Amino acid sequence: MKIAVIGQSLFGQEVYCQLRKEGHEVVGVFTIPDKDGKADPLGLEAEKDGVPVFKFPRWRARGQALPDVVAKYQALGAELNVLPFCSQFIPMEVINAPRHGSIIYHPSLLPRHRGASAINWTLIHGDKKGGFTIFWADDGLDTGDLLLQKECEVLPDDTVSTLYNRFLFPEGIKGMVQAVQLIAEGTAPRLRQPEEGATYEGIQKKETAKINWDQPAEAIHNWIRGNDKVPGAWTEACGQKLTFFNSTLNTSGLVPEGEALPIPGAHRPGMVTKAGLLLFGNDDRMLLVKNIQLEDGKMMLASQFFKGASSSALELTEAELATAEAVRSAWMRILPNVLEVEDSTDFFKSGAASVDVVRLVEEVKELCDGLELENEDVYMATTFSDFIQLLVRKLRGEDEESECIIDYVEQKVNKLTVRMPHQLFIGGAFVDAEGGKTYDTINPTDGSVICQVSLAQISDIDKAVAAAKDAFENGLWGKINARDRGQLLYRLADLMEQHQEELATIEALDAGAVYTLALKTHVGMSIQTFRYFAGWCDKIQGSTIPINQARPNRNLTLTRKEPVGVCGIVIPWNYPLMMLSWKTAACLAAGNTVVIKPAQVTPLTALKFAELTLKAGIPKGVINILPGSGSLVGQRLSDHPDVRKIGFTGSTEVGKHIMKSCALSNVKKVSLELGGKSPLIIFADCDLNKAVQMGMSSVFFNKGENCIAAGRLFLEDSIHDQFVQKVVEEVGKMKIGNPLDRDTNHGPQNHEAHLRKLLEYCQRGVKEGATLVCGGNQVPRPGFFFQPTVFTGVEDHMYIAREESFGPIMIISRFADGDIDAVLSRANATEFGLASGVFTRDINKALYVSDKLQAGTVFVNTYNKTDVAAPFGGFKQSGFGKDLGEAALNEYLRVKTVTFEY
């Protein structure tokens, strides 16, 4: 189809390029005249392709179309006019000329927000939904029949730029191309635009953008963000006009303490704090503004308002001076009307526009090898000397970002003052959940409430995924080299080690973990895991492969191992920090970004871990943590189209559901570590004392809340009674008590619902005829304590022989002396296959049994001996995929094959 593209800007350029890519013939491009010697991007691109470009200053005079302009247009024979973004008035003689008419892009959901400042008014009105419309042009103002609409959620802190860049720009380009395709196929609809709900608002200008302070904080916030960046919401204060940018309603944890800024007409004076400028609505609610522009155009951090510019300029090294000259050359290329870029040259006063900001940022990032630089930085340092000072500070790592505000819950416990974050962690900041939703997290030692934790909602999940996606696609994380990524993980491991007593104390408070065990295993192995995978970062590599040559030419085939993108990790409650570390360390080492859902009942070490990632310098958005319900957060991550991998540890039932969701959503990669009923076979020729010791550990380790716990012990007849007697004696010696006491070796179960399940499990065992040798009841004390329990006489058909207890319950069955194959058959007669074990002094027997056991891990004369270098995962309905070891990296990588011919 022959198309005339009428418009301008990068948006018009991208629509033009995509239309040509789809095979449409663009017969002409009509754009605006050059401004200050600079051509519009749309016209530049078309000229490169040899497409006729017309730059009419105007299409009509005194309301009448200019005949020569219309004639030049008609000579092209266009069948459709496409207006992606057009600031000129196009006469109806041109609009109606093509066989298919004209289609126009508009950045709102028509009929709402007709007019030229539609995005601004979407935000000013506080709309919860935004989007765009492609409509058939008529002689009205944005009143034509509808062809296509797409909507998106408007996030609470969206600005014109973020909404445009996140949705309206990328999806709008796709929408324009889709609309043209529908027209070409003859299936494009023409739906009459309703007048009900129609609004029209005028163009936002500086003189009309003054802030009205007699309204609630949310309305003021919407006004500021709706005018950010152009024209800029302003007020009068301190004898000048101040323009506010980067507003947020997320003021959780902020205290209005600082230096007062009187604002005429405001309900209360503003307050300059370390976080920025706190403002108040007439409802006494607060909003936070992070940037202020002075009347002379100087942009500054709001937190620095009363401090002014930095008094000391940096003295540049020889290398930095060379970089400054290279940047000066970039300014010269971008500002063609400037004969010489001096230190005082102002980027914007020299004619630069927003598109030039993007170009400058990208050129400097390329020049400085992926330095993290944002458009905002250019607005903050508009003169060349200020920009170089800002750039050098960033290169030296001295740029002082505002400190992350963390609202801690503090407890004095275990001879420490434990400081626990309790909010969601999204995009490098701790924030409240939508609507301020929270829930209580409980101390299982006494049933008391530790604190209230933010409860993630759907919008929070989408924000976290968006932050992770942006960090993966556009952030520093994807640009730094692999060795530097490893150094960040080493630094994180060091910080975890520095805070290991605090982390272990939180595990004891929140999960009931015995402190000494938490110090060694929960926290200790977490540290080891991050150090292990930090070492892998620069050792992930592909290979070259000999293939059949395309003679007489030659071929080279190579493979690349690449990160998959945004990963969702859903972790259980038994080892909150360790399970997070097992998956997250491999995920990050591979170069991915992640959204983590800790178990709802044990969120606190995950949130403390989030704080440590900030201190380690992990870029914002790489790690996001969302406490909340599995049915909401886990489900949304499994369904989310931007999540490319799910790593899950939990029940088989939920794992199956996740696997189905991953398949139906976008065929996500998935790894599952699910339930177990691990058999432990103890032969008469074993070291009995060691077998008793390890048998106890296989069941009672971590209160039995252990995915590889021996779910069933098979004892050879001749040692059965002696083994049971020794176990009962040892159980009697176990100290049940406060997990923070150093002599405690058996703490409370993780939460009350789990305690109730263990009681029901034991009652069913007794009812089916198993012998309860000891335990089986709740310990009569506050908290969720359960007695270590031993059952004997357990037959294969019984419920407790088949199902996992996930608690401190030893299930003992016996087998005839010497009947190896029979006991193996019984041990394998389960749909689970996570772990297993065998005790024997006979190496031939050990090798034979380990070969026949159907489990992902087999322990021989030991148990629970996992290591960060050894792959861990199950068979059958215990899942697939591996944690730990080199094998774990493959769960978070994809292999790309590249073939050259030469």
Side-chain angles (χ1 to χ4, degrees):
M1 188 161 54
K2 294 181 178 180
I3 294 172
V5 177
I6 306 174
Q8 64 209 66
S9 78
L10 285 173
F11 184 77
Q13 178 192 36
E14 286 298 314
V15 171
Y16 160 82
C17 291
Q18 291 302 314
L19 289 174
R20 281 175 53 88
K21 189 175 179 181
E22 292 295 319
H24 299 291
E25 181 185 356
V26 178
V27 295
V29 165
F30 299 83
T31 188
I32 56 176
D34 296 355
K35 184 178 180 182
D36 296 326
K38 294 167 61 178
D40 184 81
L42 171 58
L44 276 176
E45 192 69 29
E47 286 172 350
K48 288 179 188 176
D49 297 330
V51 173
V53 175
F54 303 87
K55 301 179 180 181
F56 302 137
R58 55 184 180 172
W59 291 73
R60 59 184 186 175
R62 298 177 182 175
Q64 298 298 314
L66 297 173
D68 59 328
V69 170
V70 174
K72 288 178 182 178
Y73 164 80
Q74 290 176 335
L76 297 174
E79 298 172 294
L80 173 69
N81 291 332
V82 174
L83 286 74
F85 172 67
C86 182
S87 62
Q88 296 178 309
F89 285 101
I90 311 301
M92 293 307 297
E93 290 88 339
V94 172
I95 292 293
N96 294 329
R99 177 161 60 97
H100 295 295
S102 302
I103 60 170
I104 302 178
Y105 171 89
H106 186 79
S108 78
L109 297 172
L110 292 175
R112 192 161 173 78
H113 307 308
R114 293 169 176 166
S117 296
I119 313 176
N120 303 75
W121 289 104
T122 297
L123 298 171
I124 290 169
H125 282 280
D127 292 0
K128 303 302 182 186
K129 293 290 183 182
F132 63 84
T133 303
I134 297 169
F135 67 96
W136 300 94
D138 65 3
D139 58 358
L141 185 61
D142 303 330
T143 57
D145 292 344
L146 305 179
L147 192 161
L148 182 149
Q149 285 187 318
K150 290 190 178 180
E151 70 174 37
C152 69
E153 181 183 8
V154 178
L155 303 180
D157 289 341
D158 263 332
T159 63
V160 174
S161 295
T162 61
L163 183 57
Y164 183 72
N165 292 332
R166 188 182 76 249
F167 185 83
L168 299 175
F169 182 86
E171 295 302 321
I173 293 164
K174 295 176 188 175
M176 287 298 282
V177 175
Q178 181 185 353
V180 171
Q181 193 60 38
L182 290 172
I183 294 169
E185 294 169 355
T187 57
R190 285 179 179 266
L191 306 174
R192 178 175 293 278
Q193 194 176 140
E195 285 303 312
E196 183 179 353
T199 64
Y200 173 82
E201 297 94 359
I203 297 175
Q204 275 299 87
K205 298 178 180 179
K206 191 70 175 182
E207 57 267 27
T208 62
K210 186 176 182 180
I211 299 169
N212 171 18
W213 294 103
D214 189 22
Q215 53 185 337
E218 184 174 0
I220 296 171
H221 164 68
N222 288 336
W223 184 262
I224 293 173
R225 69 187 182 123
N227 287 282
D228 186 340
K229 289 279 189 285
V230 178
W234 60 275
T235 192
E236 292 173 342
C238 294
Q240 63 174 314
K241 283 185 179 179
L242 300 180
T243 306
F244 296 148
F245 300 99
N246 203 350
S247 169
T248 178
L249 288 172
N250 181 24
T251 57
S252 176
L254 293 181
V255 179
E257 294 178 353
E259 194 165 352
L261 175 64
I263 301 174
H267 182 63
R268 288 170 56 181
M271 192 68 63
V272 176
T273 71
K274 288 182 178 180
L277 173 62
L278 284 174
L279 301 171
F280 300 86
N282 62 11
D283 56 355
D284 272 329
R285 287 190 62 201
M286 298 189 298
L287 62 143
L288 179 71
V289 165
K290 297 181 181 179
N291 301 113
I292 297 176
Q293 186 178 39
L294 306 181
E295 198 161 1
D296 63 3
K298 175 74 174 179
M299 185 84 78
M300 66 188 309
L301 291 171
S303 60
Q304 304 295 310
F305 180 73
F306 287 118
K307 297 178 182 179
S310 176
S311 58
S312 58
L314 297 176
E315 186 174 335
L316 274 55
T317 66
E318 289 292 329
E320 289 165 348
L321 286 168
T323 298
E325 289 309 307
V327 174
R328 195 187 301 273
S329 297
W331 278 50
M332 287 290 294
R333 289 191 296 273
I334 296 171
L335 305 172
N337 293 328
V338 176
L339 297 178
E340 184 178 354
V341 173
E342 300 175 346
D343 286 353
S344 59
T345 300
D346 186 286
F347 192 66
F348 297 101
K349 291 179 181 177
S350 299
S354 57
V355 65
D356 301 309
V357 173
V358 176
R359 179 179 168 186
L360 177 61
V361 167
E362 294 306 313
E363 284 204 30
V364 173
K365 284 162 70 174
E366 185 174 359
L367 177 67
C368 298
D369 195 25
L371 174 76
E372 190 166 13
L373 189 70
E374 299 179 358
N375 296 358
E376 189 73 29
D377 294 319
V378 183
Y379 292 104
M380 293 290 290
T382 60
T383 66
F384 182 75
S385 60
D386 286 348
F387 184 75
I388 292 300
Q389 290 285 310
L390 177 145
L391 186 62
V392 171
R393 289 185 190 279
K394 281 183 171 289
L395 289 168
R396 293 182 184 181
E398 297 177 6
D399 58 314
E400 298 180 6
E401 291 189 7
S402 56
E403 185 178 352
C404 178
I405 305 298
I406 304 177
D407 183 24
Y408 293 106
V409 172
E410 293 189 359
Q411 281 198 21
K412 292 186 182 299
V413 62
N414 200 26
K415 298 180 180 179
L416 299 169
T417 299
V418 179
R419 306 179 77 206
M420 297 173 284
H422 61 98
Q423 297 166 289
L424 312 181
F425 185 66
I426 300 175
F430 286 97
V431 297
D432 287 337
E434 182 192 5
K437 297 288 181 66
T438 63
Y439 69 97
D440 293 339
T441 187
I442 305 298
N443 183 342
T445 301
D446 57 12
S448 64
V449 175
I450 302 172
C451 64
Q452 289 190 323
V453 177
S454 293
L455 182 69
Q457 305 298 301
I458 289 291
S459 65
D460 300 314
I461 304 163
D462 292 344
K463 289 177 201 172
V465 173
K469 184 181 181 186
D470 184 61
F472 180 76
E473 294 179 350
N474 305 312
L476 182 63
W477 188 247
K479 298 180 177 70
I480 61 175
N481 65 57
R483 196 159 297 163
D484 290 341
R485 187 164 70 241
Q487 287 301 317
L488 287 173
L489 296 186
Y490 276 124
R491 191 182 305 166
L492 177 58
D494 290 345
L495 283 164
M496 292 170 71
E497 189 169 53
Q498 292 169 26
H499 289 262
Q500 60 183 332
E501 289 85 2
E502 187 176 18
L503 288 166
T505 301
I506 296 172
E507 289 282 72
L509 289 174
D510 201 28
V514 172
Y515 175 75
T516 51
L517 177 65
L519 204 57
K520 178 182 182 297
T521 302
H522 291 236
V523 179
M525 194 172 188
S526 299
I527 296 166
Q528 293 174 25
T529 303
F530 272 98
R531 285 191 174 137
Y532 173 81
F533 282 108
W536 266 111
C537 287
D538 61 355
K539 300 171 188 67
I540 298 170
Q541 54 197 14
S543 59
T544 57
I545 303 170
I547 67 169
N548 288 337
Q549 306 289 350
R551 292 180 293 179
N553 293 340
R554 299 176 64 79
N555 294 102
L556 170 65
T557 294
L558 56 89
T559 59
R560 291 169 48 91
K561 291 185 177 180
E562 300 178 342
V564 297
V566 178
C567 299
I569 289 178
V570 182
I571 55 176
W573 44 258
N574 57 328
Y575 294 104
L577 183 63
M578 192 172 79
M579 292 293 100
L580 177 153
S581 301
W582 280 21
K583 296 184 188 300
T584 304
C587 174
L588 296 178
N592 301 285
T593 58
V594 65
V595 179
I596 301 168
K597 193 209 88 66
Q600 186 169 354
V601 292
T602 54
L604 295 181
T605 43
L607 295 172
K608 188 67 181 180
F609 168 82
E611 178 194 344
L612 298 182
T613 69
L614 287 176
K615 294 182 177 180
I618 305 291
K620 62 183 182 181
V622 172
I623 297 170
N624 306 271
I625 298 180
L626 301 176
S629 72
S631 60
L632 187 74
V633 183
Q635 184 64 56
R636 178 58 180 156
L637 288 175
S638 301
D639 291 336
H640 203 293
D642 290 332
V643 175
R644 293 295 170 185
K645 156 72 197 249
I646 291 288
F648 171 75
T649 295
S651 72
T652 297
E653 179 185 5
V654 174
K656 289 178 178 179
H657 186 76
I658 285 176
M659 191 174 175
K660 181 179 179 180
S661 296
C662 288
L664 293 176
S665 56
N666 58 348
V667 196
K668 288 177 180 63
K669 195 170 185 178
V670 62
S671 54
L672 305 172
E673 195 248 283
L674 308 176
K677 187 67 175 174
S678 302
L680 173 57
I681 303 172
I682 301 177
F683 289 98
D685 61 356
C686 69
D687 178 336
L688 187 60
N689 288 332
K690 183 178 182 181
V692 169
Q693 175 195 354
M694 289 294 176
M696 292 277 294
S697 174
S698 74
V699 175
F700 301 125
F701 189 82
N702 199 46
K703 311 161 291 175
E705 295 167 354
N706 187 18
C707 50
I708 57 171
R712 191 176 181 191
L713 276 65
F714 292 93
L715 302 179
E716 205 161 10
D717 268 335
S718 55
I719 61 165
H720 176 276
D721 294 346
Q722 188 180 4
F723 183 95
V724 172
Q725 180 184 348
K726 287 179 175 289
V727 163
V728 172
E729 290 173 359
E730 292 301 315
V731 167
K733 299 175 186 177
M734 293 175 68
K735 167 68 185 302
I736 302 173
N738 189 324
L740 289 171
D741 292 345
R742 300 307 190 261
D743 59 345
T744 293
N745 47 33
H746 189 82
Q749 304 309 135
N750 188 278
H751 51 280
E752 186 174 15
H754 182 53
L755 173 66
R756 300 291 164 228
K757 287 182 180 179
L758 295 179
L759 290 168
E760 293 170 5
Y761 187 91
C762 290
Q763 291 165 5
R764 186 158 182 177
V766 171
K767 185 177 181 180
E768 289 187 345
T771 301
L772 178 62
V773 179
C774 63
N777 291 303
Q778 183 175 356
V779 179
R781 57 173 291 167
F784 311 138
F785 291 86
F786 186 78
Q787 297 171 340
T789 299
V790 178
F791 275 102
T792 60
V794 178
E795 299 178 9
D796 295 354
H797 69 275
M798 293 180 178
Y799 176 83
I800 64 173
R802 294 180 286 106
E803 297 298 328
E804 181 181 31
S805 72
F806 213 65
I809 303 174
M810 183 177 285
I811 306 298
I812 297 176
S813 299
R814 57 202 307 160
F815 67 95
D817 289 348
D819 201 346
I820 298 175
D821 288 328
V823 73
L824 278 171
S825 176
R826 294 169 68 193
N828 287 329
T830 173
E831 273 300 300
F832 300 111
L834 189 56
S836 60
V838 55
F839 277 82
T840 177
R841 285 193 173 99
D842 185 336
I843 186 64
N844 294 316
K845 188 187 297 181
L847 288 170
Y848 179 78
V849 171
S850 65
D851 183 52
K852 295 295 184 181
L853 283 170
Q854 299 169 8
T857 296
V858 181
F859 298 109
V860 179
N861 294 330
T862 187
Y863 209 89
N864 287 328
K865 183 60 179 174
T866 55
D867 188 88
V868 294
F872 178 92
F875 295 169
K876 298 188 284 188
Q877 291 195 43
S878 288
F880 53 85
K882 297 295 181 184
D883 291 324
L884 305 180
E886 181 182 2
L889 290 168
N890 295 325
E891 304 298 330
Y892 299 94
L893 293 166
R894 61 188 183 190
V895 178
K896 177 183 287 182
T897 301
V898 183
T899 298
F900 298 86
E901 187 163 308
Y902 58 97

